[in-house]
Amino acid sequence: MIIPTLINLFFIGFGGLILGSAAGLWAYTYYQHRLEALYLICGGMLIGVISLELIPESVQLFNFWALLVGVSLSLSLFICMDSALHVKFSEKSYLPLIAFVFAILSHNIPVGIALGMNSNSGEFGMALLLALFIHHLPEGVALYILTRISGINGVFVLVAACVVTIVLALSAWLGLESLQSNHVNGIFMGIAIGSLSYVAIHEIIGKVKGRVFKRELFLYTSLGILLLSLYLQISHKFF
């Protein structure tokens, strides 16, 4: 029973990322001449995920102080990594991509545990699976675009998607084995919120700041938030 559940979860999570990456491929193919705009739209989409989904849901589900600890830990870690890595690898363009993959991983741990804990709870378990698939779509878009902008081979998208979904499946296995802690889950969710916020604001939007007019920065970032908001409204309406 456990193995089929984990296999289904893997394909749902992997499928969401790959389908989103296909949409990212389309956007990159036809708008490659506006890389700064794509960067800002991705940053806006991440801000939308954080402000419209992660924070409201996390405040309802987890202890506030556990979330705060997770946010503080992730921000401290990324600030230290930034000061250490950018001194040696300041010319490397792949650091935002690595940070983004780490953020997705930290987000999928509590989600996977929650899915494992509720795998036998009928409609609620299905709702969590659907939410996972929906949330992986914009993450797949950002993953592909950041990969191409970083100059890394597109195969990295497949590798990253596999790693993320393997971690998701392992986390679900922990949930199935009832190794559960609301505080631990809250800390991981806080890490996800903090890391995604850092990536969106510092590593994505911050990298474009100064290379475009302020009105363009505001316009494309707002467009990303708006697209994510519309996407969530449509997906929640039908699912």
Side-chain angles (χ1 to χ4, degrees):
M1 180 66 182
I2 293 179
I3 299 300
T5 299
L6 295 181
I7 292 175
N8 289 335
L9 176 59
F10 178 88
F11 281 109
I12 288 173
F14 185 80
L17 286 171
I18 294 302
L19 187 59
S21 297
L25 169 62
W26 178 86
Y28 186 85
T29 300
Y30 291 99
Y31 294 96
Q32 186 177 359
H33 59 290
R34 296 303 306 273
L35 292 183
E36 289 82 4
L38 291 176
Y39 231 62
L40 291 173
I41 290 173
C42 285
M45 291 175 65
L46 291 181
I47 291 175
V49 171
I50 296 162
S51 59
L52 300 177
E53 285 286 301
L54 290 185
I55 292 178
E57 292 180 1
S58 298
V59 169
Q60 292 181 1
L61 295 174
F62 303 110
N63 180 274
F64 173 78
W65 296 108
L67 291 171
L68 187 61
V69 168
V71 171
S72 301
L73 284 173
S74 63
L75 290 179
S76 300
L77 174 63
F78 272 100
I79 290 172
C80 291
M81 287 175 56
D82 184 74
S83 60
L85 295 179
H86 276 280
V87 172
K88 295 183 178 180
F89 306 105
S90 58
E91 75 284 358
K92 302 298 183 182
S93 60
Y94 54 73
L95 291 181
L97 175 63
I98 301 302
F100 176 64
V101 173
F102 176 81
I104 298 178
L105 286 171
S106 62
H107 169 48
N108 274 270
I109 292 174
V111 170
I113 291 175
L115 284 166
M117 290 165 51
N118 294 281
S119 61
N120 297 318
S121 61
E123 292 184 2
F124 184 67
M126 286 300 298
L128 284 175
L129 284 173
L130 205 53
L132 170 72
F133 181 80
I134 290 170
H135 288 165
H136 271 193
L137 290 175
E139 290 175 351
V141 173
L143 175 62
Y144 183 86
I145 292 176
L146 289 177
T147 298
R148 294 303 302 272
I149 290 176
S150 300
I152 297 177
N153 191 292
V155 176
F156 178 84
V157 174
L158 294 175
V159 175
C162 284
V163 172
V164 167
T165 45
I166 287 172
V167 170
L168 178 72
L170 290 175
S171 301
W173 175 75
L174 291 177
L176 285 166
E177 295 296 319
S178 298
L179 297 176
Q180 50 187 282
S181 169
N182 185 270
H183 290 323
V184 173
N185 290 354
I187 290 173
F188 275 112
M189 190 60 75
I191 290 174
I193 292 172
S195 53
L196 282 173
S197 300
Y198 186 89
V199 170
I201 296 172
H202 180 76
E203 293 290 352
I204 297 180
I205 297 175
K207 298 305 179 185
V208 180
K209 185 180 180 181
R211 293 161 55 185
V212 298
F213 293 111
K214 290 184 179 180
R215 63 176 179 272
E216 290 182 306
L217 188 146
F218 176 79
L219 173 64
Y220 288 114
T221 302
S222 300
L223 178 60
I225 297 173
L226 177 62
L227 289 173
L228 195 282
S229 176
L230 292 174
Y231 166 74
L232 290 176
Q233 290 182 27
I234 294 172
S235 60
H236 289 168
K237 180 178 180 180
F238 288 98
F239 301 107

